[in-house]
Amino acid sequence: MGVLDAAAAATPSNATGPYEGIRVVSLAQSVTATVASSLLATLGARVILVEPPEGSALRRLGPFPEDVPDREKSAAFLHLARGFESVTLDLSRHGGRSLLASICRGADLVIEEEPPSDARCVRETLRAAREREDATCYSIVSLSPFGLTGPWAERPSSQLVMFALSGLMANVGEATREPLQLPDSLIDSFEGVAAFTAATGALEWQARTGEPHDVDCAAFDILASSNPHAISRFSYTGLMQKRVGNLLPQGYPWTLLPCKDGHIGVIAPDRDWDVFCLWMERPDLTQDPRFATRVARSQHIPELEAVLTEWTMRYTKEELYREGQLRHLPFGAVLTIEDSLQSVQLVERGFLRAIESGDCPPLLYAEPPFVTGENRPSLEPAPALGRDTAKLLREFAGIDTPVELTHLRQEGVL
Amino acid sequence: MSAPPTKSPATPQATLPLAGVRVLELGTAWAGPFCGRLLSDLGAEVIKIESRRRLDTRGPAAPPPGSGTYPDGLAGETPWNRAALFHERNRGKLSLALELDQPDGREVMLALARSSNIVLENFSPRVLPQMRVDWSNLSRVNPALVMISMSGFGQTGPERDYVAYGPTLEQASGLASLMGYADGPPMSSGLYFPDVISGTLAAGLAVAALRGARATGKGTYIDLGEIEAVRWMLGHLTLAAQTGSRAGTARLGNRDEWRAPQGCYPASGDDAWVVLTVETDDQWQAMTATMGLPRLAAEYPTARERRTHHDEIDRAVHDWIARRTAEAVVADLIAAGIPAGQVASVDQVVANEHLTARKAFDQHPIPGSHARTVAGGFWTFDGQRLGMRFRASDLGEHNEYVLREVLGLDDARIEALAKSGAVGRMPRELEAQ
């Protein structure tokens, strides 16, 4: 934890930025919708998270400290919900939907992810309220796996299912084994980034026209059009790429090799091959007919891999990474999450930063992934469930007596 | 929609979110061009500024016979205008072939920056300062400009000059350490997702910054380090690593940290696979009933128990799926409300009935041949798919439009630029012959 000791822990306040004055009402419960909402907050938007009485589903998703579930300690929520305000409403009740419409009145954007035909119809409630009320012009960004229309719109889905259906998964993994997912929630998070970008488009259009513009943001559409090579290569040439594990088709070496304490990404298939051979003090390899050209190397991969591995095993991943990069080779150390907490680059740029939160000891957080001007935005710690309910109902629904609040609680609306 | 406009394509219309916005793309390979593609889909006029000395992903000026990704395998007389990957990433953009490292080329760039809203670039941090077309130069001529840089590690810090390809970023971000089979080494995805993520994020950040520039008259420079974009998505694991959670410490193959069972199982036929995820206990009841194995639901009713006995459950699921077709298995699972699907190959994806109904892909016209399917727009706005607006442009196809109509240069000036080699329409190596 050397890095943590060195950094003075901060208690940040919310970001300022181009979206100062923008109010976003988010019904996010998934990683995807919460990522989209979170990025809007990093730009200065005021994000009001409307949670069901039992809390956003993200609060029940881990990881948790010591892996003990605790809805106030989900790392996913603590990371993504920073800067949000939290209000609890039961949207299955008419009273809850009506309060939601009040909170949305005068908002700029609503992010929702109801299933297309959900009986509760929050989306329809909001659209109707928007039509009814003057000066109410929020755009609605709807997130879903398959979109709001089309023959598969009602199918159940998961991150893994989306990845498989989109054609991406077929290209990942060993040729002789089952195709492989991308780890963690990377795909869900990417869809959230795409939804964020859609939201910026809707806000920009709305600012120019004064009219709301609703976005149908479907994970399937987005993933299917994010494939780096496959679609156009197939439609232009008829070729379909097979999965090839760590032997990527750009030539050899373009792979991962074991080293003394882990693995190192090795890329030197073309001009860099000579540089790599000199570094290994093996200029003979550039003359060896088996390894001299790109074509020859890709025909003698097992022999060459043995030669390279014998060399990489003498060094640590850190040594190979730094020495390779000194020679402008795009080598990458396979860092664990824990390794990367020690990254001088990430700390120096203010990306990893110690943050105080309540009575917890300070923890390193991943700050927003960009710098504007000289500044990296930061955000307040994530809210406890329903922290802002009373304040928001006073502000937006004119409910300002404890009696009214108690009544709503007894009815189960809050 | 098929031909790129040659005259005033930027006529402001209220029919697209970014109508009237001009973007200069100094993009290469993946992240930059992907960002430009999304901004074009959203309605911006994107001018791709390209070098004739180092062609982007247009492929070699003179490819060896049989190589490349050309339609019908035919490179044609101008192969650099026919490469599949270039078309897909660069459709909907205008092309200005301009050499920024010549003084007169740089002058054109500065003049263009004056009449543009956004500049996006993804060179390594050394490149633009060398040519003196970096933020300090461009913001001087246009104080309201929005500029975004995408580089592997960001514009500052001890690793700013590190060379990063997609796999490098997967490795250094921690992603590769989690990627792979449970019994195997870390892996590369081969998907360049760090670039896809960064290009998509950059597009949103640039659009948002337009609002700030309009409100204050002051532009913004955005420094996006791709490693941070990936690392931010693993931000919960940053916390987990400090609080004693097992999350983010092991490769899980196709399993999930919380949901179980989840996996990828072979079906009958060649390379046919079914994936499924059981999210809830109710789904597990329904799935075991469909499999005719209600015993499993009784024995392992909760996700925690199912994770503990995942191997045993996998064997039962495997046996149930292995002798049947993927289509039949998926149909049964979907009917039972279980998230499931086939691992689709690209031919299946482009023919998918749902994507077709939603107009999720675009058709890129090819001179002398039929149109080809390419990646489409990400979203529909008000029910309208925002995708390809016109085909990818030939190298330097809009030199004339940009110089004459956007910048108002006269014949003599345009001729001088052509003569000095600052602009042109042929790859440099062919001009020299």
Side-chain angles (χ1 to χ4, degrees):
Chain A
M1 283 298 125
V3 169
L4 189 53
D5 297 340
T11 40
S13 53
N14 276 356
T16 58
Y19 284 162
E20 253 185 294
I22 294 279
R23 193 200 326 154
V24 176
V25 179
S26 172
L27 302 170
Q29 296 209 47
S30 68
V31 168
T32 303
T34 312
V35 161
S37 311
S38 184
L39 289 168
L40 293 168
T42 66
L43 297 170
R46 176 182 183 187
V47 176
I48 296 171
L49 181 69
V50 177
E51 304 189 62
E54 72 276 18
S56 159
L58 198 60
R59 291 184 185 268
R60 293 188 294 282
L61 195 71
F64 300 104
E66 312 298 335
D67 293 324
V68 178
D70 176 339
R71 76 177 183 199
E72 293 299 348
K73 291 184 178 165
S74 157
F77 192 85
L78 292 177
H79 168 53
L80 291 175
R82 288 178 62 192
F84 291 6
E85 293 165 58
S86 163
V87 51
T88 52
L89 290 179
D90 184 348
L91 299 180
S92 68
R93 290 167 187 269
H94 176 76
R97 289 197 298 276
S98 154
L99 286 173
L100 173 67
S102 299
I103 291 171
C104 291
R105 189 179 301 136
D108 300 278
L109 190 83
V110 176
I111 292 178
E112 64 92 19
E113 50 179 346
E114 218 184 13
S117 68
D118 195 291
R120 291 177 294 161
C121 285
V122 166
R123 197 164 35 244
E124 292 317 311
T125 303
L126 291 176
R127 283 194 183 141
R130 191 172 65 184
E131 305 239 315
R132 235 181 6 250
E133 293 171 25
D134 299 341
T136 292
C137 154
Y138 47 82
S139 296
I140 302 174
V141 178
S142 300
L143 280 65
S144 60
F146 294 100
L148 301 180
T149 63
W152 291 14
E154 299 291 335
R155 279 199 182 199
S157 186
S158 70
Q159 174 179 251
L160 177 62
V161 168
M162 279 329 337
F163 190 59
L165 292 175
S166 66
L168 292 162
M169 189 171 178
N171 292 131
V172 184
E174 300 285 356
T176 54
R177 295 187 68 170
E178 69 273 23
L180 201 55
Q181 68 176 346
L182 296 193
D184 201 64
S185 49
L186 195 80
I187 291 297
D188 280 348
S189 300
F190 165 62
E191 292 155 11
V193 172
F196 155 73
T197 298
T200 67
L203 284 170
E204 183 65 15
W205 205 1
Q206 191 176 312
R208 290 146 170 269
T209 60
E211 300 282 326
H213 295 285
D214 293 348
V215 186
D216 177 359
C217 194
F220 194 18
D221 299 350
I222 290 163
L223 288 179
S225 283
S226 297
N227 203 321
H229 317 291
I231 296 168
S232 60
R233 173 176 290 144
F234 169 69
S235 70
Y236 280 55
T237 68
L239 295 174
M240 288 203 276
Q241 202 177 319
K242 290 278 181 192
R243 56 188 181 277
V244 290
N246 278 333
L247 295 174
L248 298 176
Q250 288 86 345
Y252 194 88
W254 183 301
T255 190
L256 274 162
L257 295 174
C259 60
K260 208 178 195 174
D261 61 345
H263 288 81
I264 181 78
V266 172
I267 297 183
D270 294 312
R271 281 168 300 187
D272 291 339
W273 175 239
D274 291 356
V275 177
F276 185 27
C277 290
L278 276 179
W279 173 22
M280 292 188 290
E281 297 177 349
R282 292 293 305 272
D284 58 300
L285 295 177
T286 65
Q287 305 301 319
D288 189 320
R290 293 173 301 165
F291 310 134
T293 68
R294 183 186 175 118
V295 174
R297 285 193 292 279
S298 46
Q299 288 163 348
H300 298 90
I301 289 175
E303 297 102 299
L304 187 49
E305 189 169 287
V307 171
L308 299 182
T309 305
E310 191 272 319
W311 182 78
T312 54
M313 287 302 288
R314 294 183 218 162
Y315 302 98
T316 66
K317 60 191 178 188
E318 191 71 18
E319 289 165 343
L320 292 167
Y321 182 34
R322 304 295 167 196
E323 287 292 315
Q325 288 286 352
L326 275 178
R327 292 166 173 80
H328 303 295
L329 300 174
F331 280 31
V334 177
L335 300 179
T336 63
I337 298 295
E338 202 170 356
D339 290 339
S340 72
L341 296 183
Q342 307 296 324
S343 164
V344 176
Q345 175 75 7
L346 295 180
V347 171
E348 199 164 289
R349 278 173 58 78
F351 174 71
L352 289 179
R353 189 153 166 252
I355 303 280
E356 303 259 20
S357 173
D359 48 5
C360 305
L363 293 173
L364 280 180
Y365 276 73
E367 293 281 65
F370 58 93
V371 177
T372 53
E374 307 281 289
N375 302 315
R376 186 182 296 276
S378 192
L379 294 161
E380 289 168 7
L385 176 60
R387 183 192 68 186
D388 306 294
T389 301
K391 181 190 85 178
L392 292 168
L393 292 185
R394 193 180 320 122
E395 183 176 353
F396 295 112
I399 293 170
D400 53 5
T401 67
V403 179
E404 284 174 283
L405 277 177
T406 308
H407 184 64
L408 287 168
R409 271 202 191 96
Q410 279 164 352
E411 282 188 342
V413 170
L414 302 183
Chain B
M1 136 138 133
S2 62
T6 51
K7 297 231 181 242
S8 302
T11 311
Q13 295 168 323
T15 55
L16 289 170
L18 300 186
V21 171
R22 178 172 293 142
V23 177
L24 305 181
E25 177 194 304
L26 303 173
T28 176
W30 244 113
F34 200 73
C35 177
R37 179 180 113 187
L38 295 177
L39 293 174
S40 165
D41 287 358
L42 286 168
E45 179 194 73
V46 180
I47 301 174
K48 185 178 177 77
I49 297 180
E50 308 185 67
S51 165
R52 287 172 293 131
R53 212 168 291 148
R54 280 189 78 168
L55 301 178
D56 181 20
T57 45
R58 291 178 175 277
S67 69
T69 54
Y70 306 107
D72 308 315
L74 300 172
E77 287 176 9
T78 58
W80 57 90
N81 295 327
R82 288 172 62 83
L85 302 186
F86 183 84
H87 283 181
E88 187 164 62
R89 265 170 235 177
N90 294 285
R91 80 271 200 296
K93 303 173 192 174
L94 309 181
S95 170
L96 171 67
L98 180 72
E99 304 307 321
L100 295 174
D101 56 358
Q102 292 187 201
D104 51 350
R106 176 175 178 271
E107 285 305 313
V108 169
M109 176 67 201
L110 294 182
L112 266 178
R114 206 170 287 137
S115 66
S116 298
N117 305 94
I118 296 172
V119 172
L120 68 93
E121 66 102 5
N122 69 321
F123 289 103
S124 54
R126 282 171 300 190
V127 174
L128 295 192
Q130 266 169 16
M131 299 187 292
R132 295 188 300 123
V133 291
D134 56 332
W135 169 244
S136 66
N137 292 278
L138 300 183
S139 62
R140 207 172 300 136
V141 299
N142 181 359
L145 188 68
V146 170
M147 180 164 177
I148 185 156
S149 292
M150 288 158 264
S151 66
F153 293 85
Q155 303 292 313
T156 61
E159 295 170 14
R160 69 188 284 269
D161 292 322
Y162 274 26
V163 191
Y165 295 172
T168 321
L169 294 168
E170 291 184 354
Q171 291 146 12
S173 67
L175 190 68
S177 76
L178 301 174
M179 163 104 206
Y181 301 98
D183 57 355
M187 292 188 72
S188 288
S189 74
L191 290 178
Y192 296 82
F193 247 69
D195 289 329
V196 178
I197 291 164
S198 301
T200 307
L201 176 60
L205 294 174
V207 173
L210 284 178
R211 189 187 195 98
R214 201 167 43 234
T216 63
K218 269 185 65 183
T220 317
Y221 178 66
I222 304 163
D223 164 10
L224 190 164
E226 293 197 28
I227 191 165
E228 293 170 6
V230 178
R231 200 61 187 66
W232 184 75
M233 294 183 167
L234 304 175
H236 52 290
L237 299 181
T238 301
L239 297 175
Q242 301 166 76
T243 54
S245 168
R246 71 175 188 282
T249 57
R251 287 181 284 283
L252 300 178
N254 285 318
R255 290 184 183 174
D256 186 82
E257 197 80 61
W258 324 108
R259 303 162 181 97
Q262 174 175 285
C264 178
Y265 307 89
S268 74
D270 180 33
D271 207 26
W273 303 88
V274 171
V275 295
L276 61 88
T277 305
V278 172
E279 305 248 6
T280 66
D281 298 341
D282 289 347
Q283 286 176 350
W284 178 234
Q285 298 274 351
M287 176 164 155
T288 49
T290 299
M291 290 166 63
L293 289 172
R295 171 187 65 83
L296 283 175
E299 273 180 60
Y300 310 125
T302 69
R304 178 185 289 267
E305 290 158 303
R306 294 194 293 275
R307 284 199 303 270
T308 309
H309 298 275
H310 211 309
D311 288 342
E312 180 194 340
I313 291 171
D314 270 355
R315 282 192 291 275
V317 175
H318 178 281
D319 290 347
W320 179 65
I321 293 177
R323 285 181 304 276
R324 312 179 60 210
T325 66
E327 289 82 357
V329 171
V330 170
D332 281 355
L333 290 171
I334 296 288
I338 316 299
Q342 285 189 62
V343 176
S345 53
V346 61
D347 55 335
Q348 291 170 324
V349 174
V350 297
N352 180 280
E353 56 165 339
H354 184 74
L355 293 172
T356 304
R358 290 178 58 81
K359 301 187 171 70
F361 294 124
D362 281 307
Q363 300 297 318
H364 194 285
I366 307 291
S369 186
H370 59 92
R372 304 301 160 104
T373 304
V374 292
F378 272 9
W379 317 282
T380 72
F381 278 63
D382 303 331
Q384 175 196 2
R385 171 73 54 187
L386 300 193
M388 180 176 96
R389 288 154 56 217
F390 48 85
R391 66 165 170 80
S393 297
D394 293 348
L395 181 65
E397 186 169 346
H398 300 92
N399 293 352
E400 180 77 12
Y401 160 73
V402 173
L403 299 177
R404 196 177 299 277
E405 308 217 3
V406 177
L407 297 181
L409 302 187
D410 60 20
D411 286 346
R413 199 55 211 294
I414 293 172
E415 218 164 282
L417 285 166
K419 201 163 172 212
S420 78
V423 299
R425 300 206 49 188
M426 289 280 278
R428 231 350 135 66
E429 63 174 284
L430 298 184
E431 277 176 350
Q433 287 168 8

